[in-house]
């Protein structure tokens, strides 16, 4: 027994004791914050939205993302219509039949114009004819004019001459009120102005360019109706004098002669008798005559230009 003990002790002295083996621990990533862990549930179970999982392949994760994108595109396309909207047709491509023909006036347009047509009162009409006769005008009653739905006159007169034997050339079919104011303008303004500018002269004839005619203003295809269409207007182109001379209406705003002064005087005075006076300075449509009319306006307003 003692020998055996000695041998064991010597063997222990010759062989040093072995250290216990080292244990390696696998590294773990720190836990994600609570806010990141509490996300919305994944609508596609079994599919990871991370680029890679621990120990997984990044390429496989990208394939998963591609699959998800394709599924989303298919879901959105399911609600699309089979055919998309067609582009609107350009205005120039529309058929010409959509625009109303020029010669076919809308009924509503005619009705609106017809409302402007003067309504004759029996008592006023009789008083006008008496005044026209007293002032010395020569006229006869003319038949009623019904020219379409808008144009016409109920009790017109055919004006043949003005006071003092002044001929109306050619004879004019107008309303009585138009003829009466033309006679008053001749007596109160034209004759006195002529006597001041050309002593010894006298007016023997008056040249009218337009009386009643069914048309729009200035002969336009569309727009407001002319006062000529109601017999309210008359256009004066000039005068014939006792000496045989003729006086023609023309642009005279800067005419420093007696003829220019005479024309400006009778034009300005015309607004004392007519509610509308247009002369060659008004526009291109009145370069050779005076437009005179008796259009009724609210508040007695007059348009003289």
């Amino acid at each position: 027994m003692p020998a055996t003990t000695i041998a064991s002790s010597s063997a222990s002295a010759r062989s040093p004791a072995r250290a216990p083996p080292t244990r390696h621990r696998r590294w773990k990533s720190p836990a994600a914050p609570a806010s990141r862990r509490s996300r919305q549930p994944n609508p596609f179970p079994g599919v990871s939205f991370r680029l890679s999982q621990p120990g997984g392949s990044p390429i496989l994760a990208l394939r998963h993302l591609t699959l998800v994108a394709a599924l989303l595109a298919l879901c959105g396309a399911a609600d699309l219509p089979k055919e998309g909207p067609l582009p609107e047709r350009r205005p120039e491509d529309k058929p010409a039949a959509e625009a109303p023909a020029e010669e076919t006036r809308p009924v509503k347009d005619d009705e609106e114009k017809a409302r402007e047509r003067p309504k004759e009162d029996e008592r006023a009409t009789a008083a006008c004819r008496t005044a026209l006769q007293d002032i010395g005008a020569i006229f006869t009653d003319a038949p009623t004019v019904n020219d379409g739905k808008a144009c016409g006159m109920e009790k017109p007169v055919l004006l043949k001459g003005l006071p003092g034997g002044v001929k109306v050339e050619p004879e004019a079919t107008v309303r009585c009120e138009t003829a009466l104011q033309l006679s008053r303008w001749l007596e109160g303004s034209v004759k006195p102005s002529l006597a001041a500018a050309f002593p010894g002269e006298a007016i023997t004839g008056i040249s009218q360019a337009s009386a009643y005619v069914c048309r729009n203003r200035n002969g336009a295809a569309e727009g407001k109706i002319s006062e000529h269409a109601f017999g309210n207007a008359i256009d004066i182109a000039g005068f014939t004098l006792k000496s045989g001379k003729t006086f023609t209406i023309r642009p005279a705003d800067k005419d420093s002669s007696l003829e220019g002064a005479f024309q400006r005087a009778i034009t300005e005075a015309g607004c004392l008798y007519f509610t509308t006076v247009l002369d060659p300075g008004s526009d291109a449509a009145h370069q050779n005559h005076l437009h005179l009319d008796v259009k009724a306006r609210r508040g007695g307003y007059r348009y003289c230009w």
Side-chain angles (χ1 to χ4, degrees), residues 175-200:
R175 289 184 62 229
C176 179
E177 183 66 19
T178 306
L180 180 59
Q181 296 305 325
L182 183 65
S183 300
R184 291 173 175 173
W185 173 64
L186 179 73
E187 288 293 289
S189 174
V190 179
K191 287 182 177 180
S193 296
L194 182 69
F198 308 104

Side-chain angles (χ1 to χ4, degrees), residues 34-292:
S35 59
R36 296 183 58 184
R37 290 198 302 267
S38 57
R39 294 180 176 174
Q40 296 294 331
N42 187 353
F44 301 95
V47 179
S48 174
F49 288 90
R50 293 184 295 180
L51 290 179
S52 65
Q53 298 178 352
S57 173
I59 297 178
L60 181 58
L62 290 175
R63 290 180 180 175
H64 290 168
L65 290 177
T66 305
L67 177 60
V68 171
L71 291 174
L72 291 175
L74 290 175
C75 292
D79 296 333
L80 293 177
K82 295 182 178 180
E83 296 182 0
L86 296 177
E88 293 185 3
R89 183 184 300 169
R90 295 182 298 174
E92 59 268 23
D93 294 339
K94 292 183 178 180
E98 294 182 9
E102 180 176 337
E103 61 273 10
T104 306
R105 296 186 300 177
V107 176
K108 184 177 180 180
D109 186 40
D110 288 342
E111 291 177 352
E112 291 177 355
K113 292 178 180 180
R115 294 191 189 101
E116 301 181 33
R117 182 172 168 177
K119 304 298 181 183
E120 302 292 357
D121 177 76
E122 291 289 343
R123 184 174 299 178
T125 298
C128 179
R129 278 166 164 73
T130 299
L132 191 59
Q133 186 175 5
D134 291 345
I135 202 172
I138 302 173
F139 68 96
T140 58
D141 291 338
T144 299
V145 178
N146 284 316
D147 195 358
K149 293 184 178 181
C151 306
M153 297 176 288
E154 293 182 4
K155 296 182 178 298
V157 298
L158 179 62
L159 186 61
K160 301 178 179 181
L162 297 176
V166 177
K167 294 182 179 180
V168 177
E169 303 171 332
E171 297 176 351
T173 301
V174 291
R175 289 184 62 229
C176 179
E177 183 66 19
T178 306
L180 180 59
Q181 296 305 325
L182 183 65
S183 300
R184 291 173 175 173
W185 173 64
L186 179 73
E187 288 293 289
S189 174
V190 179
K191 287 182 177 180
S193 296
L194 182 69
F198 308 104
E201 278 286 15
I203 295 176
T204 59
I206 185 170
S207 176
Q208 64 95 2
S210 179
Y212 170 81
V213 58
C214 184
R215 63 174 175 82
N216 290 325
R217 291 183 184 178
N218 299 332
E222 298 179 353
K224 295 184 177 181
I225 194 168
S226 171
E227 291 305 308
H228 287 280
F230 305 137
N232 277 341
I234 189 167
D235 294 342
I236 304 301
F239 305 95
T240 301
L241 305 182
K242 182 178 65 176
S243 63
K245 296 179 181 181
T246 57
F247 181 88
T248 303
I249 301 296
R250 63 193 187 284
D253 288 347
K254 298 181 179 180
D255 187 348
S256 58
S257 65
L258 286 173
E259 288 84 357
F262 167 70
Q263 180 174 313
R264 291 193 297 273
I266 64 174
T267 300
E268 294 295 331
C271 212
L272 299 175
Y273 305 92
F274 297 93
T275 57
T276 306
V277 177
L278 301 175
D279 72 343
S282 301
D283 53 37
H286 299 86
Q287 291 299 302
N288 58 359
H289 65 273
L290 299 178
H291 170 92
L292 311 171

Side-chain angles (χ1 to χ4, degrees), residues 4-27:
T4 302
T5 304
I6 295 171
S8 298
S9 300
S10 61
S12 299
R14 288 193 300 267
S15 301
R18 293 182 180 180
T22 304
R23 300 180 62 182
H24 297 280
R25 291 183 300 176
R26 183 177 295 178
W27 180 84

